[in-house]
Amino acid sequence: MTPTAPADAGVRTATMDDVPAVVRVLSRAFHTDPLFRWFFPNEDERLAGTARACALIAGFGHVPNGTARVHESRETPDGPPVIRGAALWTPPGEHAERPLAVVRALPHWVRLLGPSRLRRVARFMGELRDAVPEEPHWYLSMLGTDPVARGTGVGARLLREGLARADADAVPVYLETMNAANIGYYERHDFRVVRAVNQPSAPPTYCMLRPAAV
């Protein structure tokens, strides 16, 4: 059965009050993603670990910076609005996590991953940073839809809204995905794989770029 499209759909900027809902959506969307399988090899601990990681990514960086967008819908015409999708963006020339936020979040990452794994993750993230385009661009850090809303267009609306903003700025959009199954989805939105990062100890990563609107 095809999922029913949500009523009264809307995209807005997330506030700090939205962090629990953003974490719920992203952790449910990403807990089987190869990156989080690598972060948390123990399947019994993965969902909780993914939720804590998403809380650090969203709560210390994107939401306070005003660069997290959420898709809000009503499950019934008279029901309360519910967040079913979230996108974490970084504008051209900015970093998702500012220095003070990195310092505040670091002890939490150490407790979450452990010093040894965190060092491996840091090396891997450093290699990904080397692949980032030098030209100004919007960066899509995470795009996730609650599994109960998949197939209803929530993710596509969030993505199109961000792409329109990039088009208005006349800059490209860049992202990485560790899930090869996502490549076709992003290609339908004019992204192309521009580099593959294959590190023996980390999941293969596909770097994708959508050119600036002409």
Side-chain angles (χ1 to χ4, degrees), residues 106-142:
L106 183 59
H108 299 278
W109 281 111
V110 172
R111 287 194 293 271
L112 182 58
L113 298 176
S116 177
R117 181 170 293 276
L118 184 59
R119 283 193 292 271
R120 293 198 296 274
V121 169
R123 285 195 297 270
F124 174 60
M125 293 302 176
E127 187 168 348
L128 293 188
R129 282 194 293 272
D130 290 340
V132 173
E134 294 184 2
E135 62 184 315
H137 61 276
W138 277 89
Y139 172 61
L140 178 57
S141 175
M142 298 182 79

Side-chain angles (χ1 to χ4, degrees), residues 4 17 28 40 43 56 63 66-67 80 82 85 103 105 128 146 155 158 160 170-171 175 177 180-182 188 205 212:
T4 302
D17 290 339
R28 295 185 68 187
F40 309 108
E43 188 171 353
L56 293 173
V63 175
T67 58
V82 180
V103 171
L128 293 188
D146 192 310
L158 279 164
R160 286 197 301 267
V171 297
L175 62 84
T177 182
N182 290 339
R188 290 193 292 274
T205 302

Side-chain angles (χ1 to χ4, degrees), residues 34-54:
L35 179 66
F36 290 93
R37 286 182 177 273
W38 180 55
F39 280 2
F40 309 108
N42 187 323
E43 188 171 353
D44 293 335
E45 300 174 357
R46 188 176 304 129
L47 185 57
T50 301
R52 291 175 62 193
C54 290

